[in-house]
């Protein structure tokens, strides 16, 4: 049995959230050990947000060039995947090497250990033959991995997850996609615009099933215009591979393609973390936490495995709260001059201020003491980066009705706005209001800049801005966001 090494904090999992927590706590002067068996930075910079948006940017450039004939003359377009793959490899991922991220963390004073960390009793973490005892606590941020459905024959085939789809150097002639959620649609549209014959197979009765039905319709229409075949209400029963092609057997039908991409959700692997050694049920789908991200006494969790959404912005938001709470806990444990805590959060992941020992700082703006925040997900923004983009915040109309809210809905087609008409753009603004409270509880913005237009709606939901005030704002003309004004008039 190895003798435990005493440190201040151990962070198990250095994805987006874990890396942020570990780095800021190290900057604050704590002795921090960060552990990860994968790449520091996690899914987002290597197989998610960053490289996928490079792919989308390239695919959108092709689509825009093809629109020249409609607006400005003639153009010929010849897709070439090679520069896209090169940019992902060289600019985004450093050929899937995390040395820059490791150096970034250790440069802040942290210590990095490569390996699979497991809890090994209260305050203790084991990595192979090393054991660390944390004075103040453990932060778990091990994320999630692709959830592969138990379809007969699938496990025995060389299917893709998002990892292989991002790393691909040479595109297949045809692609079957299991899953019509955000990732499935984004990648399907990219590959289709580069000439791949794509078929999306979705078990639900519509794609983007978690968003408004109107958003599903616009997204499906856009992908079909790019040549994507969309099959909804189809559940795969069996998958086979003959060495050259895949066949998905579903509801008496067969779908064949050169490659199969499985994007049917993600899951946390709590059973691998030794949570049972500290009395936490490891059979749950996600790790439940309270408003300050406590999973148990002395244990915090951050990011995807908390079940609040597999978004980088959620992980960063939670990381700021965890940093503030850990520093507050350290101060109270040490019996510092401000027992109420001076750690605070301003603007999400920025603005963490520490006064460990009364003098150390982790950057950001000065704030009032005693303001460790509590997580608030009412205005959780989410964007599907298809063309057009689908941006949404808060509750959908159905979710609001299920909660017993007295719902008012305002809806306007983007094409009815001057900017939308100029662009010949598909899309809409949909507002979901609580009529009794006179505030928005949800909104959806679909269009060429749907995610950007969403920002004002996020503020409205988050701050519970009275609808009467929103109606008396001045909306710049001619912009896409001016359609919000029309949707407000349509609330009924």
């Amino acid at each position: 049995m190895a003798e435990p090494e005493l440190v201040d904090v151990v962070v198990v999992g250095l994805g987006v959230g874990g890396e942020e927590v570990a780095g800021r706590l190290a900057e604050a002067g704590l002795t921090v050990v960060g552990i990860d068996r994968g790449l520091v930075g996690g899914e987002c910079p290597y197989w998610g947000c960053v490289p996928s948006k490079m792919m989308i940017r390239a695919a959108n450039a092709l689509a825009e060039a093809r629109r020249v004939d409609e607006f400005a003359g003639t153009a010929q377009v010849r897709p070439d995947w090679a520069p896209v793959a090169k940019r992902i490899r060289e600019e985004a991922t450093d050929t899937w090497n995390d040395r820059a991220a490791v150096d970034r963390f250790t440069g802040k004073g942290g210590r990095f250990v490569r390996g699979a960390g497991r809890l090994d009793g209260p305050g203790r973490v084991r990595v192979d033959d090393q054991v660390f005892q944390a004075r103040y606590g453990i932060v778990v941020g091990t994320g999630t991995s692709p959830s592969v459905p138990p379809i007969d024959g699938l496990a025995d085939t060389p299917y893709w997850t998002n990892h292989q789809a991002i790393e691909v150097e040479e595109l297949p002639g045809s692609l079957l996609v299991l899953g019509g959620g955000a990732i499935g649609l984004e990648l399907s549209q990219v590959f289709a615009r580069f000439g791949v014959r794509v078929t999306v197979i979705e078990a639900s009765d519509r794609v983007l099933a978690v968003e408004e039905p109107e958003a599903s319709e616009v997204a499906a229409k856009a992908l079909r215009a790019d040549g994507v075949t969309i099959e909804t209400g189809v559940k795969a029963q069996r998958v086979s591979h003959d060495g050259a092609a895949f066949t998905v057997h579903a509801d008496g039908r067969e779908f064949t393609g050169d490659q199969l991409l499985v994007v049917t959700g993600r899951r946390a692997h709590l059973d691998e973390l030794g949570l049972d050694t500290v009395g936490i049920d490891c059979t749950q789908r996600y790790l439940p936490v309270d408003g300050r991200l406590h999973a148990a006494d002395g244990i915090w969790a951050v990011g995807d495995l908390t079940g609040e959404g597999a978004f980088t912005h959620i992980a960063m938001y939670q990381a700021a709260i965890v940093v503030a709470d850990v520093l507050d806990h350290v101060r109270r444990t040490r019996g510092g001059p401000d027992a109420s805590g001076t750690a605070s959060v301003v603007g999400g992941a920025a603005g963490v201020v520490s006064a460990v020992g009364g003098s150390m700082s982790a950057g950001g703006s000065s704030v009032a003491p005693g303001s460790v925040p509590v997580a608030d997900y009412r205005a959780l923004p989410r964007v599907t980066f298809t063309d057009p983009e689908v941006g949404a915040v808060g509750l959908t109309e159905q979710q609001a009705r299920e909660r017993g809210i007295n719902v008012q809905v305002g809806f306007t087609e983007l094409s009815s706005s001057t900017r939308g008409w100029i662009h010949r753009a598909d899309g809409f603004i949909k507002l979901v209001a609580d009529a009794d409270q006179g505030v928005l509880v949800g909104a959806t913005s679909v269009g060429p800049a749907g995610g950007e237009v969403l920002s004002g709606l996020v503020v409205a939901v988050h701050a519970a801005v009275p609808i009467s005030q929103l109606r008396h704002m001045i909306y710049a003309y001619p912009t896409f966001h001016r359609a919000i004004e029309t949707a407000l008039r349509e609330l009924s």
Side-chain angles (χ1 to χ4, degrees):
M1 177 72 69
E3 187 68 23
E5 179 181 343
L6 190 61
V7 299
D8 288 336
V9 176
V10 179
V11 180
V12 183
L14 296 180
V16 171
E19 183 190 357
E20 179 75 3
V21 169
R24 286 189 174 272
L25 292 180
E27 285 181 315
L30 300 180
T31 57
V32 180
V33 173
I35 303 167
D36 205 307
R37 64 182 177 186
L39 300 183
V40 173
E43 196 79 1
C44 178
Y46 302 105
W47 299 285
C49 324
V50 177
S52 70
K53 302 314 169 282
M54 285 184 170
M55 295 165 64
I56 290 167
R57 174 69 182 93
N60 287 357
L62 290 176
E64 196 64 15
R66 289 167 179 148
R67 292 173 183 137
V68 167
D69 290 2
E70 182 182 358
F71 291 102
T74 59
Q76 291 184 333
V77 182
R78 183 178 61 83
D80 183 1
W81 185 254
V84 185
K86 183 174 186 291
R87 189 181 183 203
I88 290 171
R89 186 175 60 251
E90 297 180 1
E91 296 182 30
T93 67
D94 194 18
T95 316
W96 293 273
N97 187 304
D98 66 350
R99 59 191 152 201
V102 172
D103 290 346
R104 181 170 62 235
F105 171 53
T106 57
K108 295 175 180 178
R111 174 181 169 189
F112 176 62
V113 177
R114 182 88 66 186
R118 288 179 56 89
L119 277 67
D120 191 34
R124 197 163 58 246
V125 176
R126 176 180 294 276
V127 189
D128 298 324
D129 293 332
Q130 300 179 82
V131 180
F132 299 98
Q133 182 73 44
R135 289 187 183 91
Y136 302 115
I138 298 167
V139 181
V140 183
T142 48
T144 55
S145 61
S147 177
V148 180
I151 299 172
D152 183 30
L154 177 59
D156 299 322
T157 68
Y159 63 86
W160 283 356
T161 66
N162 64 300
H163 283 216
Q164 291 75 33
I166 294 292
E167 294 174 9
V168 65
E169 297 275 347
E170 186 174 336
L171 297 181
S174 57
L175 177 69
L176 302 177
V177 179
L178 278 184
I183 297 173
L185 294 196
E186 289 176 2
L187 294 176
S188 293
Q189 189 173 50
V190 165
F191 290 135
R193 288 180 166 181
F194 274 88
V196 179
R197 298 184 306 279
V198 180
T199 300
V200 175
I201 302 169
E202 167 58 44
S204 299
D205 60 1
R206 59 186 176 95
V207 296
L208 289 186
V210 299
E211 303 297 353
E212 297 282 10
E214 298 92 337
S216 301
E217 292 174 11
V218 173
K221 178 184 175 183
L223 265 71
R224 288 186 174 115
D226 283 318
V228 177
T229 299
I230 297 179
E231 301 284 352
T232 56
V234 176
K235 187 173 182 179
Q237 279 93 34
R238 185 166 63 88
V239 173
S240 59
H241 186 256
D242 63 6
F246 288 82
T247 300
V248 174
H249 307 263
D251 300 333
R253 303 168 65 189
E254 293 185 354
F255 303 92
T256 302
D258 297 333
Q259 189 52 255
L260 172 66
L261 170 61
V262 180
V263 277
T264 51
R266 302 183 66 83
R267 63 180 290 263
H269 295 272
L270 302 187
D271 56 327
E272 300 176 357
L273 300 177
L275 295 170
D276 55 318
T277 68
V278 292
I280 297 176
D281 180 5
C282 59
T283 65
Q284 304 169 96
R285 185 176 180 186
Y286 295 108
L287 184 55
V289 293
D290 66 12
R292 290 192 173 91
L293 288 308
H294 300 150
D297 186 30
I299 299 175
W300 291 261
V302 64
D304 293 7
L305 87 165
T306 65
E308 295 296 344
F311 302 109
T312 292
H313 46 278
I314 285 290
M316 294 293 282
Y317 172 75
Q318 292 177 330
I321 295 173
V322 170
V323 170
D325 201 51
V326 170
L327 293 178
D328 184 57
H329 171 64
V330 171
R331 249 185 318 275
R332 287 185 283 105
T333 302
R334 290 182 178 179
D338 178 13
S340 67
T342 57
S344 185
V345 176
V346 176
V352 177
V353 177
S354 77
V356 178
S359 62
M360 299 180 185
S361 174
S365 305
S366 296
V367 291
S371 53
V372 177
V374 175
D376 178 1
Y377 305 107
R378 289 177 304 111
L380 167 60
R382 51 199 185 273
V383 182
T384 301
F385 292 90
T386 47
D387 175 19
E389 290 180 355
V390 177
V393 59
L395 303 176
T396 64
E397 178 184 353
Q398 179 180 342
Q399 289 170 335
R401 294 191 187 283
E402 288 173 349
R403 296 190 184 191
I405 293 173
N406 182 11
V407 171
Q408 285 183 313
V409 174
F411 183 91
T412 186
E413 297 283 357
L414 199 62
S415 58
S416 67
S417 72
T418 301
R419 185 70 178 278
W421 172 78
I422 290 170
H423 280 249
R424 294 179 179 168
D426 280 340
F428 62 86
I429 299 291
K430 182 174 182 178
L431 308 178
V432 180
D434 182 331
D436 296 333
Q437 300 298 318
V439 297
L440 299 182
V441 293
T444 298
S445 164
V446 178
E452 306 306 322
V453 171
L454 185 69
S455 62
L457 296 170
V458 173
V459 173
V461 175
H462 179 79
V465 179
I467 292 171
S468 58
Q469 283 190 268
L470 296 175
R471 282 178 169 146
H472 286 88
M473 284 175 54
I474 300 173
Y475 296 83
Y477 178 89
T479 59
F480 290 121
H481 78 253
R482 189 174 171 87
I484 296 172
E485 184 179 38
T486 306
L488 285 165
R489 288 201 302 266
E490 297 298 321
L491 277 173
S492 61

Short mmCIF file of all heavy atoms in Angstrom, two decimals, residues 27-30 327 330-331 334 336-338 342 352-363:
data_model
loop_
_atom_site.label_atom_id
_atom_site.label_comp_id
_atom_site.label_asym_id
_atom_site.label_seq_id
_atom_site.Cartn_x
_atom_site.Cartn_y
_atom_site.Cartn_z
N GLU A 27 -3.45 28.72 -9.38
CA GLU A 27 -3.08 30.13 -9.41
C GLU A 27 -3.34 30.81 -8.07
O GLU A 27 -2.67 31.78 -7.71
CB GLU A 27 -3.87 30.85 -10.50
CG GLU A 27 -3.39 30.55 -11.92
CD GLU A 27 -4.20 31.31 -12.95
OE1 GLU A 27 -5.44 31.33 -12.84
OE2 GLU A 27 -3.58 31.86 -13.88
N ALA A 28 -4.33 30.32 -7.35
CA ALA A 28 -4.68 30.89 -6.05
C ALA A 28 -3.71 30.47 -4.95
O ALA A 28 -3.84 30.90 -3.81
CB ALA A 28 -6.10 30.50 -5.66
N GLY A 29 -2.74 29.62 -5.28
CA GLY A 29 -1.72 29.24 -4.32
C GLY A 29 -1.92 27.90 -3.66
O GLY A 29 -1.14 27.54 -2.76
N LEU A 30 -2.93 27.14 -4.05
CA LEU A 30 -3.13 25.81 -3.48
C LEU A 30 -2.25 24.80 -4.20
O LEU A 30 -1.91 24.97 -5.37
CB LEU A 30 -4.60 25.40 -3.61
CG LEU A 30 -5.63 26.29 -2.93
CD1 LEU A 30 -7.03 25.74 -3.16
CD2 LEU A 30 -5.35 26.43 -1.44
N LEU A 327 -12.47 27.77 -2.57
CA LEU A 327 -11.67 28.79 -1.89
C LEU A 327 -12.36 29.26 -0.60
O LEU A 327 -11.69 29.51 0.41
CB LEU A 327 -11.41 29.96 -2.82
CG LEU A 327 -10.51 29.66 -4.03
CD1 LEU A 327 -10.37 30.89 -4.90
CD2 LEU A 327 -9.15 29.15 -3.59
N VAL A 330 -11.72 26.56 1.90
CA VAL A 330 -10.34 26.62 2.39
C VAL A 330 -10.20 27.71 3.46
O VAL A 330 -9.60 27.50 4.52
CB VAL A 330 -9.36 26.89 1.23
CG1 VAL A 330 -7.95 27.18 1.77
CG2 VAL A 330 -9.33 25.70 0.28
N ARG A 331 -10.77 28.88 3.19
CA ARG A 331 -10.68 29.98 4.14
C ARG A 331 -11.35 29.64 5.46
O ARG A 331 -10.81 29.90 6.54
CB ARG A 331 -11.36 31.22 3.53
CG ARG A 331 -10.39 32.34 3.19
CD ARG A 331 -11.11 33.56 2.72
NE ARG A 331 -12.21 33.25 1.82
CZ ARG A 331 -12.05 33.07 0.52
NH1 ARG A 331 -10.85 33.13 0.00
NH2 ARG A 331 -13.08 32.81 -0.25
N ARG A 334 -9.26 27.10 7.34
CA ARG A 334 -8.06 27.69 7.92
C ARG A 334 -8.38 28.73 9.00
O ARG A 334 -7.48 29.20 9.71
CB ARG A 334 -7.23 28.37 6.83
CG ARG A 334 -6.57 27.40 5.86
CD ARG A 334 -5.75 28.17 4.85
NE ARG A 334 -5.05 27.27 3.94
CZ ARG A 334 -4.27 27.70 2.93
NH1 ARG A 334 -4.10 29.00 2.74
NH2 ARG A 334 -3.66 26.82 2.16
N GLY A 336 -9.63 31.81 8.39
CA GLY A 336 -9.13 33.08 7.89
C GLY A 336 -9.93 34.25 8.41
O GLY A 336 -10.92 34.11 9.11
N PRO A 337 -9.50 35.48 8.02
CA PRO A 337 -10.13 36.70 8.54
C PRO A 337 -11.56 36.91 8.08
O PRO A 337 -12.31 37.63 8.71
CB PRO A 337 -9.23 37.82 7.99
CG PRO A 337 -8.58 37.21 6.77
CD PRO A 337 -8.39 35.77 7.11
N ASP A 338 -11.97 36.27 6.98
CA ASP A 338 -13.33 36.47 6.48
C ASP A 338 -14.01 35.11 6.39
O ASP A 338 -13.97 34.45 5.35
CB ASP A 338 -13.30 37.16 5.12
CG ASP A 338 -14.70 37.34 4.54
OD1 ASP A 338 -15.69 37.15 5.28
OD2 ASP A 338 -14.79 37.63 3.35
N THR A 342 -14.75 35.25 0.59
CA THR A 342 -14.63 36.37 -0.34
C THR A 342 -14.50 35.90 -1.77
O THR A 342 -14.28 36.70 -2.66
CB THR A 342 -13.40 37.24 0.02
OG1 THR A 342 -12.24 36.42 -0.01
CG2 THR A 342 -13.56 37.88 1.37
N VAL A 352 -12.88 35.23 -10.85
CA VAL A 352 -12.73 34.51 -9.59
C VAL A 352 -11.71 35.25 -8.74
O VAL A 352 -10.61 35.53 -9.18
CB VAL A 352 -12.27 33.07 -9.83
CG1 VAL A 352 -12.04 32.37 -8.51
CG2 VAL A 352 -13.31 32.33 -10.63
N VAL A 353 -12.10 35.60 -7.56
CA VAL A 353 -11.20 36.32 -6.66
C VAL A 353 -10.98 35.48 -5.41
O VAL A 353 -11.93 35.04 -4.80
CB VAL A 353 -11.80 37.69 -6.25
CG1 VAL A 353 -10.89 38.39 -5.26
CG2 VAL A 353 -12.00 38.55 -7.48
N SER A 354 -9.73 35.25 -5.05
CA SER A 354 -9.48 34.49 -3.83
C SER A 354 -8.66 35.33 -2.87
O SER A 354 -7.95 36.24 -3.26
CB SER A 354 -8.73 33.20 -4.14
OG SER A 354 -7.37 33.47 -4.38
N ALA A 355 -8.80 34.98 -1.60
CA ALA A 355 -8.01 35.65 -0.58
C ALA A 355 -7.49 34.60 0.39
O ALA A 355 -7.51 34.77 1.59
CB ALA A 355 -8.84 36.68 0.16
N VAL A 356 -7.03 33.46 -0.17
CA VAL A 356 -6.50 32.40 0.67
C VAL A 356 -5.30 32.95 1.43
O VAL A 356 -4.36 33.47 0.83
CB VAL A 356 -6.08 31.19 -0.18
CG1 VAL A 356 -5.48 30.12 0.70
CG2 VAL A 356 -7.28 30.63 -0.92
N GLY A 357 -5.35 32.86 2.73
CA GLY A 357 -4.27 33.42 3.52
C GLY A 357 -4.31 34.94 3.56
O GLY A 357 -3.40 35.57 4.06
N GLY A 358 -5.33 35.54 2.96
CA GLY A 358 -5.49 36.98 3.03
C GLY A 358 -4.78 37.76 1.95
O GLY A 358 -4.85 38.98 1.93
N SER A 359 -4.05 37.08 1.01
CA SER A 359 -3.28 37.86 0.06
C SER A 359 -3.29 37.35 -1.36
O SER A 359 -2.94 38.07 -2.28
CB SER A 359 -1.82 37.94 0.53
OG SER A 359 -1.26 36.63 0.57
N MET A 360 -3.65 36.11 -1.60
CA MET A 360 -3.51 35.53 -2.92
C MET A 360 -4.70 35.87 -3.81
O MET A 360 -5.80 36.05 -3.34
CB MET A 360 -3.36 34.02 -2.83
CG MET A 360 -2.14 33.59 -2.04
SD MET A 360 -1.99 31.81 -1.94
CE MET A 360 -0.58 31.67 -0.84
N SER A 361 -4.46 35.93 -5.11
CA SER A 361 -5.52 36.26 -6.05
C SER A 361 -5.44 35.39 -7.27
O SER A 361 -4.36 35.03 -7.72
CB SER A 361 -5.41 37.73 -6.48
OG SER A 361 -6.36 38.02 -7.48
N ALA A 362 -6.61 35.04 -7.81
CA ALA A 362 -6.67 34.25 -9.04
C ALA A 362 -7.18 35.08 -10.20
O ALA A 362 -7.67 34.57 -11.18
CB ALA A 362 -7.56 33.03 -8.84
N GLY A 363 -7.08 36.39 -10.10
CA GLY A 363 -7.46 37.24 -11.23
C GLY A 363 -8.92 37.64 -11.20
O GLY A 363 -9.71 37.18 -10.40
#
